[in-house]
Amino acid sequence: MNTPKSKQSIETAKVIIGGQTLSCPIITGIENEKALDISELRSKTGFVTYDEGYSNTASCLSGITYIDGENGILRYRGIPIEELAQKRTFVEVAHLLIFGHLPSESERSDFSKLLTSNCMIHDNMVKLFDSLPSSSHPMATLSAMVVTLSAYYPELANPEMDMGQMNKIIAELLAKIRTLAAYSYKKSIGEPIIYPKRKYKYVENFLHMMFSTPVDEYPIDQEVVDALEKILILHADHEQNCSTSTVRLVGSSQANLFASISAGICALWGPLHGGANQAVIEMLESIVREGGDATKVIEKAKDKSSSFRLMGFGHRIYKNFDPRANIIKEICDKLLAKLGINDPCLEVAKQIEEAALKDDYFIQRKLYPNVDFYSGIILRAIGIPTNMFTVIFAMGRLPGWIAHWKEQCESPKKKIGRPRQIYVGAPLTHI
Ligand code: CMC
């Protein structure tokens, strides 16, 4: 694997602080994005930088995903998301993100075999599901089960373990996450778990474990498989978002893969991040219940005396449009038409989008529908319950988390993540 590099640059920027001048190298990314290297700032001047929410801080050099938020561009390993969503499967995209290239025919077949042969989980772990209350949110169950997997891989404690062994464990995690996700759901509805089947591919197997019962086998519909496949691809990576940065930060202490990913799942759960897909549907459902008037919600979202936000709108990076949202909207229209579903939530969502895109509040703040705005309507049409939406996001994001964890492990510059703070508490106080 190539270590990510920036373009060689001779440019520098001068930072003048308290009569001192510091020369900071300028780092230039492959698409000409520029950063000021301030790594010597504190040692040379005593100052640190302050950047709440890290809006202006690059925490690493990475060769995995490129985003241009102004122009709505998203590429995995250089390949536009539109092409990947149209032409590749989720398993191929996972291979691309984790190993740096799309698999050849033989690599694809070997990788698929590895995923199929490792989709079972240890029977002792299956019993753990019984010890959780059925009211447990599937994200709580999933994060707990993923960190529990560490217990089944004692070799992770071996600092001499090579990347070949690690790659096998990575494939096993990718294989098992859909089993854990589906079991979380089955347990939450009190149904017996359904074992995976060798005959099914990645997404088909997940649907089978979710919806088959001991008496009926779920009829696989290719249209549904394609829609879910695309949703997973669109979520597969998004560079240094909250959960991925969490995975990297936890991993930077050399915590094992499962512990780092479990932390990422917890970070994803929040409604400002992956939890937004559940929040969007809950918001749309409540509008439909109350008669379908979208204007009230728009007004509430603009009201600064309320903490309410229009869920599924806005993004830290995208300030024009979210390319994932455009693709998702198309999938949504196509799938609902194919399945003959007339979902009132879709109507309300379209009304909200139309009204918000004309509204000065949203225009001035560059707030557009994000990936979560229409994804919930697709998941609902497939029959996935609302509390599983963020689990689907987690399954999709797993290859990205793994790729970032691996990139960091393989980097020669291993540095524990440790931001600074500005202390604003009590001054020296004696007891
Ligand atoms: N509804 C109403 N106002 C909003 C919204 C919204 N959804 N999003 C941002 N704003 C306003 C915000 O109040 C602020 O206004 P002002 O300048 O008057 O104080 C301004 O826009 C800038 O907001 P911000 O919170 O500084 O922006 P951010 O970049 O820190 O937050 C965000 C990004 C995604 C957390 C935010 O837009 C949001 O809360 N959206 C709703 C939740 C959501 O849909 N999250 C999913 C994100 S996409 C999936 C993922 O990658 O996680």
Side-chain angles (χ1 to χ4, degrees):
M1 171 73 53
N2 290 334
T3 308
K5 288 188 192 71
S6 54
K7 283 188 198 167
Q8 286 296 333
S9 171
I10 44 161
E11 277 183 279
T12 54
K14 300 239 178 299
V15 177
I16 304 167
I17 305 178
Q20 257 187 298
T21 302
L22 178 71
S23 192
C24 296
I26 292 185
I27 299 180
T28 305
I30 219 73
E31 296 291 343
N32 281 328
E33 63 275 38
K34 305 265 185 194
L36 211 57
D37 179 349
I38 49 112
S39 45
E40 292 194 322
L41 183 66
R42 190 172 176 280
S43 62
K44 297 253 167 91
T45 70
F47 279 72
V48 294
T49 53
Y50 173 65
D51 183 19
E52 191 88 51
Y54 312 121
S55 311
N56 301 288
T57 299
S59 58
C60 59
L61 297 181
S62 178
I64 301 168
T65 287
Y66 172 69
I67 302 177
D68 173 346
E70 268 64 43
N71 294 306
I73 291 172
L74 170 61
R75 296 180 199 143
Y76 299 159
R77 304 280 186 190
I79 305 176
I81 189 65
E82 293 80 3
E83 288 178 33
L84 290 168
Q86 208 189 349
K87 298 184 183 158
R88 295 298 178 152
T89 64
F90 175 64
V91 167
E92 289 170 317
V93 170
H95 190 288
L96 169 72
L97 286 166
I98 297 169
F99 302 111
H101 61 275
L102 283 166
S104 64
E105 195 39 47
S106 67
E107 283 171 327
R108 196 197 50 73
S109 151
D110 290 349
F111 195 45
S112 295
K113 277 187 205 137
L114 205 53
L115 295 180
T116 307
S117 57
N118 284 291
C119 53
M120 300 280 285
I121 55 172
H122 197 286
D123 212 40
N124 286 346
M125 250 189 98
V126 178
K127 292 185 193 116
L128 285 179
F129 282 87
D130 294 330
S131 58
L132 292 171
S134 56
S135 59
S136 164
H137 193 288
M139 284 295 276
T141 311
L142 186 69
S143 58
M145 292 300 165
V146 168
V147 75
T148 303
L149 279 175
S150 316
Y152 293 84
Y153 293 86
E155 63 270 37
L156 286 171
N158 174 11
E160 305 295 303
M161 191 172 66
D162 64 36
M163 257 306 156
Q165 286 169 288
M166 196 60 231
N167 288 343
K168 187 168 174 296
I169 294 176
I170 283 172
E172 294 193 15
L173 173 57
L174 270 174
K176 290 183 193 332
I177 195 160
R178 66 201 149 145
T179 313
L180 296 173
Y183 286 8
S184 307
Y185 169 60
K186 285 294 194 193
K187 283 292 163 190
S188 75
I189 56 166
E191 273 188 15
I193 57 164
I194 298 294
Y195 286 122
K197 282 198 168 167
R198 270 183 203 284
K199 68 173 180 177
Y200 288 134
K201 292 184 180 152
Y202 195 90
V203 173
E204 294 171 351
N205 230 338
F206 171 68
L207 289 166
H208 156 70
M209 287 187 277
M210 282 284 290
F211 298 124
S212 290
T213 67
V215 283
D216 283 314
E217 185 146 337
Y218 173 76
I220 300 286
D221 177 334
Q222 198 49 45
E223 206 80 31
V224 168
V225 172
D226 288 348
L228 191 51
E229 189 102 48
K230 286 187 172 54
I231 287 193
L232 296 179
I233 292 172
L234 294 173
H235 285 86
D237 193 40
H238 215 233
E239 49 115 306
Q240 310 309 319
N241 55 83
C242 177
S243 56
T244 304
S245 299
T246 300
V247 170
R248 286 189 89 122
L249 192 60
V250 174
S252 77
S253 74
Q254 296 182 6
N256 74 54
L257 175 71
F258 300 107
S260 308
I261 300 291
S262 172
I265 294 172
C266 293
L268 185 75
W269 193 358
L272 295 191
H273 191 10
N277 55 12
Q278 175 171 345
V280 170
I281 277 292
E282 286 165 357
M283 177 185 82
L284 296 175
E285 282 173 345
S286 84
I287 300 171
V288 171
R289 259 195 319 273
E290 286 162 24
D293 183 2
T295 52
K296 271 196 226 152
V297 162
I298 300 266
E299 289 313 310
K300 199 171 161 197
K302 288 157 53 177
D303 177 1
K304 289 293 167 193
S305 66
S306 137
S307 60
F308 177 80
R309 288 192 163 198
L310 191 54
M311 299 314 287
F313 256 73
H315 200 276
R316 171 64 62 80
I317 307 281
Y318 295 119
K319 299 297 173 197
N320 188 344
F321 65 95
D322 180 340
R324 304 166 302 171
N326 289 0
I327 304 172
I328 283 210
K329 194 174 170 191
E330 265 175 43
I331 305 169
C332 185
D333 281 332
K334 193 171 154 220
L335 184 72
L336 266 64
K338 171 76 194 344
L339 300 180
I341 295 175
N342 187 6
D343 187 341
C345 285
L346 180 57
E347 264 325 293
V348 170
K350 286 184 174 171
Q351 277 173 33
I352 293 179
E353 181 181 358
E354 205 187 319
L357 295 182
K358 281 196 269 188
D359 191 297
D360 274 352
Y361 175 96
F362 293 89
I363 295 171
Q364 277 161 15
R365 289 169 181 77
K366 301 187 173 173
L367 304 171
Y368 297 88
N370 60 47
V371 68
D372 291 321
F373 196 62
Y374 287 101
S375 63
I377 299 173
I378 301 176
L379 297 176
R380 221 160 92 110
I382 294 175
I384 290 172
T386 318
N387 67 355
M388 280 293 289
F389 288 5
T390 316
V391 169
I392 303 287
F393 194 151
M395 276 173 56
R397 186 54 53 88
L398 182 64
W401 288 332
I402 294 173
H404 284 271
W405 184 87
K406 189 167 168 343
E407 181 177 75
Q408 181 171 262
C409 284
E410 288 171 341
S411 161
K413 230 185 182 183
K414 287 189 193 56
K415 218 168 156 62
I416 189 166
R418 205 309 184 181
R420 289 273 171 174
Q421 64 162 19
I422 316 286
Y423 177 68
V424 292
L428 177 63
T429 312
H430 293 292
I431 47 169

